[in-house]
Amino acid sequence: YETEALLEERLLALRPDAYEQGVELVGLVPGDHDVMLTLRDDQGHRALTARLVVGCDGKRSAVRSALGIPFVGGPYGRCFLMG
């Protein structure tokens, strides 16, 4: 989990207000100049407007799925571990 910790540390240094855990993206509507997001956490649903959304959540990306972008790829034939 070293990679995740390094990324978290850097994001917190740059934009501590942009980092949340325990939040699920349940809706995404792109606009001309921003993106409307619907988020769900243990408090319920809430809306958020953002200039940019980055989906770094792998093969089952909620961002890619919400935009209707298919996963183009296949299994990786080797084992690896990111630390």
Side-chain angles (χ1 to χ4, degrees):
Y1 300 96
E2 187 175 330
T3 301
E4 185 176 332
L6 290 170
L7 292 171
E8 180 180 333
E9 180 182 324
R10 183 66 177 145
L11 178 59
L12 287 170
L14 294 172
R15 289 285 310 270
D17 61 322
Y19 180 72
E20 295 185 56
Q21 288 185 310
V23 179
E24 177 185 7
L25 174 69
V26 294
L28 184 152
V29 180
D32 290 336
H33 302 286
D34 56 16
V35 182
M36 287 293 301
L37 306 168
T38 303
L39 306 174
R40 178 174 52 210
D41 60 19
D42 56 358
Q43 302 295 312
H45 288 79
R46 61 189 160 106
L48 177 72
T49 302
R51 290 183 296 152
L52 177 68
V53 177
V54 179
C56 302
D57 47 350
K59 180 180 176 181
R60 294 177 183 89
S61 171
V63 173
R64 190 180 61 251
S65 177
L67 293 173
I69 301 169
F71 175 74
V72 180
Y76 185 69
R78 297 184 178 179
C79 294
F80 67 95
L81 175 68
M82 290 180 61

